[in-house]
Structure formats: C-alpha cells, structure tokens
Amino acid sequence: MKLPSKSMALFATALLLVSCKDEDQSGDWAAQQSAQLRYENTRLRRDVERLEQKLADLKDQIATEESRQRMDELKRLAEESDASRDARRAETRRLLEQSEAILRELKGE
C-alpha cells in the first residue's frame, strides 16, 4: 500500500485552509488537521518499527531453521559414513578370514 507523501498531505491541508471562509474556523481546523497528521505520522512510525522487528525475527527464524537443516544433513552424512565404514570393515574381516582359511588349507596339504 502506497501512502501519500508528506508534501501531498501538506498541499491538501493548504487547499482546504484556503477554502475555509472563517479565519477562526480555519485556524481551529488547521490545528486539528495538524494534530491529526502528527498522530498518524507517529502511528505509522510505530507500525514501521513493529514491522521491522517482525522482519528481523523472521530472518532469525529462517537462519535458525537453515542451521538446523545443515546440522541434520551433517548428521545424516556422518551416519552414512559410519555405516559405509562398518560395511568396509566387515567385508575386510570376511576377506581376511577367507584368506586365513585358504592359507590353513594350503598348509594342511
């Protein structure tokens, strides 16, 4: 949503002031409009600050989630590596036992 610029708001206020016939009324009206504009400006600034904080919080949540995902991936890779290492060890043990059996057989002949 695009908000009107400050200069546009002041221009609109000035046009309305010119259209007022009674100077006292226009002065009161101008003071009321000025107070209303200050209030709106303050409210909008607070809204912007609140939204900026929400954005910062969301960025933190995203970074935390990405970090968690990277840790999960590293754990998965470590588990795969451990499983692969264990399989290689078992295969090496099997081959060693097979080689020893063949050597015993050859020695027995």
Side-chain angles (χ1 to χ4, degrees):
M1 177 174 84
K2 186 174 180 182
L3 298 175
S5 67
K6 187 175 181 180
S7 60
M8 287 296 290
L10 290 174
F11 179 72
T13 302
L15 284 177
L16 289 171
L17 284 174
V18 170
S19 67
C20 289
K21 293 181 181 175
D22 185 8
E23 283 187 26
D24 289 337
Q25 284 181 339
S26 68
D28 291 343
W29 183 84
Q32 289 174 350
Q33 290 302 307
S34 179
Q36 180 66 28
L37 288 173
R38 281 193 305 274
Y39 169 79
E40 288 295 319
N41 190 28
T42 301
R43 187 184 61 75
L44 290 172
R45 281 188 183 149
R46 274 187 256 137
D47 288 349
V48 167
E49 289 171 359
R50 183 179 48 77
L51 291 172
E52 286 174 342
Q53 183 59 48
K54 279 186 177 181
L55 178 61
D57 292 345
L58 287 173
K59 285 180 178 179
D60 288 345
Q61 287 177 356
I62 289 169
T64 300
E65 179 62 21
E66 288 173 347
S67 177
R68 187 195 61 76
Q69 288 175 355
R70 282 192 299 268
M71 288 300 293
D72 289 348
E73 180 67 12
L74 288 173
K75 286 178 185 176
R76 185 187 63 76
L77 290 172
E79 289 170 358
E80 285 178 8
S81 177
D82 289 347
S84 175
R85 183 192 64 230
D86 292 345
R88 283 192 314 272
R89 282 182 180 168
E91 180 65 14
T92 302
R93 215 175 294 118
R94 186 187 66 76
L95 290 173
L96 180 60
E97 290 170 358
Q98 193 177 34
S99 297
E100 289 172 347
I102 291 171
L103 281 175
R104 281 191 301 272
E105 199 176 294
L106 288 174
K107 284 183 182 180
E109 289 184 8

